[in-house]
Amino acid sequence: MAHIDAGKTTVTERILFLTEKIHRTGEVHDGEATMDFLEEEQRRGITIQSAATSCEWRGHSINIIDTPGHVDFTAEVERSLRVLDGAIAVFDAVSGVEAQSETVWRQADRYGVPRICFINKMDRVGADFSAAVESIRERLGARPVPVQLPIGAEREFSGVIDLIRMKMFQFDEEADGGVRELDEIPADLLEQAQLHRHELLETAAEFDEDLLDLFVEDEEVPADLALSALRRGTLGMEITPVLVGSALKHKGVRFVLDATIDLLPSPRDIAAVVGKEPASGDELSREPEESGPVSAMAFKTIAEQTGDLTFVRVYSGVLEKGMKVLNPRLGRTERIGRIVRIHANKREHVDAIPAGEIAAVVGLKQTITGDTLCDPGAPIALNEIVFPDTVISMAIEPAKNQDRDKLSECIGRLMREDPTFRSKKNEQTDQLIISGMGELHLEVLLNRIRTEYKVGVHTGKPKVAYRQRLDRSVDTEARYIRQSGGRGQYAVVNVRFETAETEDGGMEFVDEVKGGNVPREYIKNVGQGLREVFDAGGSLGHRFVNVRASLYDGKAHDVDSSELAFHNAGMLAFRQAMENNFVLLEPIMKVEVRVPEDYLGAVVGDLNSRRGEVSEVDSQGDLRVVRAHVPIAEMFQYSSSLRGATQGRGSYSMEYHEYKDLPKSLAEKALAGD
């Protein structure tokens, strides 16, 4: 995991070469990397979707997922971290921590994933190992512990010193990935190495009492003892070991593989996975044992012509071909057809997947990303994956009218594959609106519709995906009374609406009815009606956030009341509550711009003119790094503006930060459609 262009795919490529999974390495910039097999990835030279593979090293099996670095594809990182046990965070030795580095780091924190760091591109001009380590400490709030020191930098980068074993390794320029081990560290490097080893042992001593005793007594600490202590600290997420190298030149990647085995967790090191009993909601757990009942999570879907390819992580038991498994979300069983191990776009058929492994199942009909698959006799619903909200949308229509059904079908497939790609019909204009995480995200998906699915499309301009919140608390009485001969419709509900910080930013429905004025069997229908308008966004179509709706009274009729009447009364109550009582919210992006100092003033001035708030200006070698919060509405086509303002020497990245109130004058323009 890493910021875009830090070298994740190149690191993965070298790992596969070293473990003899592939016999020649392909380069990302040539469009020949094994893990970047999509046509769009090869054309753009970036990773768009996470790709899975596995390899063997020192008698251990390693499952690897190579994730994208661009913020528009952050969902791929989210679902990968949900199911993986450890992560390798890759950093550019010149840039250190970048904007997306922070995002993936926070995601790993959220899912409790231990990690090691690899400072890559140490042979680049401006590479600075110490500065990169310090940026991990300062910007990520982490506790990096270098276990290696680089020998030289830039063109002089020639080897590493292993601080655990106090040995020096020189890279063999003739052999890909080869090293020469030297027992003696040269005198001019020894003092610095001893100083860093002392710091390493001081940290490791916090996790092992035997090591602490040896350290205090100033006695020699065996390498195995230091390694086990560092492993304990890493698994507890209290420290992050740091390695160094240059993946493109095959330098240092074998040490990353060693550190993966020595310092990152195996499935047996991970605590029991937690979920809920589907019927009662009681908390359950499953130990990572093959002897237990099967439980697995579907974390990625690829929609294919022959049926969905569903990636699963097995947490307990053994998932076998032909087995019937329960999907607790649907309350239905599915049959496991073919099981395949994945290596990028190649497949190997297997009969079973044991606990701790990752593979893919072919042909599941109803399972989607985030679903649990479990033993019907021992059901468990594992905690779901939470995906971020979309921030940008656009209208889309087929170039030919006869392609309308085909377009709907391929959009449905893409939505199954990508939980951050959404589509809905605008009830007012009858237009199909697609939404995503950014301009690049939608551009890539549109290209896939045109090239993979052969459907020509016309699109409107990208628009901001606004949100709505209630401006003030309000009590409303909604009367849904219809009489047209025969049985009528009768429902009266009293609902109190207020803004509340809900867990997922959604709607909380509270039942406060006393005395039976609203019959118990109709209360859930009121909630469904409220939620329907909440989700649809009312007449404006922008999704609501953070609403608590409390049903506290109402009236029913012995003959004319029905589930439908109370459902419609709930819808009416929400519409009444939002009438002239809403505030538009706009997505604010965290923007990071890197420019030579000569252009700093122009860039800061431009960001200010875009309603941006500059929070920090930092130095990084010859560059200045400007960090700001800017509304996404002001960032469309920013790349061409930056190119013009800096003569092509500036670069930027941005990621979603938060939703904030849109100023009233701009809200009026947005509502008018400007």
Side-chain angles (χ1 to χ4, degrees), residues 137-271:
R137 191 188 323 279
E138 288 183 1
R139 291 195 58 193
L140 302 179
R143 195 177 173 194
V145 180
V147 294
Q148 293 179 334
L149 282 185
I151 300 169
E154 303 180 356
R155 293 179 64 183
E156 305 301 316
F157 178 54
S158 60
V160 295
I161 294 172
D162 180 341
L163 296 173
I164 297 172
R165 299 171 185 83
M166 282 303 274
K167 289 187 175 178
M168 178 170 157
F169 295 89
Q170 283 192 320
F171 298 122
D172 187 344
E173 299 290 345
E174 302 301 315
D176 289 341
V179 291
R180 242 170 0 109
E181 183 179 324
L182 304 177
D183 286 331
E184 295 297 321
I185 298 171
D188 59 328
L189 299 172
L190 187 59
E191 187 179 339
Q192 186 190 10
Q194 286 173 335
L195 180 66
H196 280 86
R197 176 173 163 81
H198 185 273
E199 291 174 359
L200 179 146
L201 294 177
E202 188 175 19
T203 303
E206 296 175 25
F207 309 105
D208 191 293
E209 289 194 8
D210 292 340
L211 195 157
L212 177 61
D213 291 341
L214 291 173
F215 182 73
V216 170
E217 297 295 328
D218 205 21
E219 293 189 26
E220 184 57 36
V221 175
D224 289 349
L225 185 61
L227 204 55
S228 67
L230 290 170
R231 178 182 177 82
R232 204 169 293 129
T234 305
L235 299 193
M237 291 180 59
E238 295 186 59
I239 60 170
T240 311
V242 181
L243 297 96
V244 63
S246 171
L248 187 65
K249 301 289 176 57
H250 294 263
K251 294 179 177 180
V253 177
R254 66 171 54 248
F255 300 123
V256 174
L257 272 167
D258 286 337
T260 300
I261 303 299
D262 293 335
L263 298 170
L264 288 179
S266 85
R268 292 189 188 281
D269 294 317
I270 297 299

Side-chain angles (χ1 to χ4, degrees), residues 90-111:
V90 183
F91 298 92
D92 185 321
V94 179
S95 305
V97 172
E98 299 174 86
Q100 188 68 0
S101 314
E102 294 185 43
T103 305
V104 297
W105 197 269
R106 283 198 306 273
Q107 288 171 314
D109 281 341
R110 188 160 63 246
Y111 290 114

Side-chain angles (χ1 to χ4, degrees), residues 27 31 40 51 219 269 351 358 382 504 588 594:
E27 305 306 342
E40 278 289 305
E219 293 189 26
D269 294 317
D351 292 328
I358 286 174
L382 302 177
D504 58 354
I588 306 296
R594 292 166 186 261

Side-chain angles (χ1 to χ4, degrees), residues 484-516:
S484 57
R487 185 176 174 179
Q489 298 284 347
Y490 186 96
V492 178
V493 295
N494 295 86
V495 185
R496 181 172 56 255
F497 293 89
E498 53 200 329
T499 299
E501 289 292 328
T502 58
E503 188 177 335
D504 58 354
M507 189 191 85
E508 179 187 353
F509 176 57
V510 183
D511 171 14
E512 292 182 356
V513 175
K514 293 180 175 64

Side-chain angles (χ1 to χ4, degrees), residues 41-185:
E41 294 177 317
Q42 293 168 353
R43 189 166 67 82
R44 295 173 184 273
I46 61 170
T47 301
I48 288 169
Q49 70 172 21
S50 53
T53 187
S54 60
C55 61
E56 301 278 332
W57 187 253
R58 285 171 37 190
H60 295 264
S61 171
I62 306 174
N63 286 291
I64 304 171
I65 297 184
D66 174 33
T67 62
H70 197 287
V71 66
D72 285 17
F73 310 107
T74 192
E76 296 287 336
V77 186
E78 191 83 32
R79 56 179 162 197
S80 300
L81 286 170
R82 170 63 180 82
V83 298
L84 294 181
D85 300 328
I88 300 167
V90 183
F91 298 92
D92 185 321
V94 179
S95 305
V97 172
E98 299 174 86
Q100 188 68 0
S101 314
E102 294 185 43
T103 305
V104 297
W105 197 269
R106 283 198 306 273
Q107 288 171 314
D109 281 341
R110 188 160 63 246
Y111 290 114
V113 178
R115 66 219 81 145
I116 57 177
C117 297
F118 180 56
I119 309 293
N120 189 28
K121 304 189 179 184
M122 196 61 204
D123 55 348
R124 273 188 66 197
V125 174
D128 188 330
F129 177 73
S130 299
V133 172
E134 194 54 35
S135 72
I136 294 170
R137 191 188 323 279
E138 288 183 1
R139 291 195 58 193
L140 302 179
R143 195 177 173 194
V145 180
V147 294
Q148 293 179 334
L149 282 185
I151 300 169
E154 303 180 356
R155 293 179 64 183
E156 305 301 316
F157 178 54
S158 60
V160 295
I161 294 172
D162 180 341
L163 296 173
I164 297 172
R165 299 171 185 83
M166 282 303 274
K167 289 187 175 178
M168 178 170 157
F169 295 89
Q170 283 192 320
F171 298 122
D172 187 344
E173 299 290 345
E174 302 301 315
D176 289 341
V179 291
R180 242 170 0 109
E181 183 179 324
L182 304 177
D183 286 331
E184 295 297 321
I185 298 171

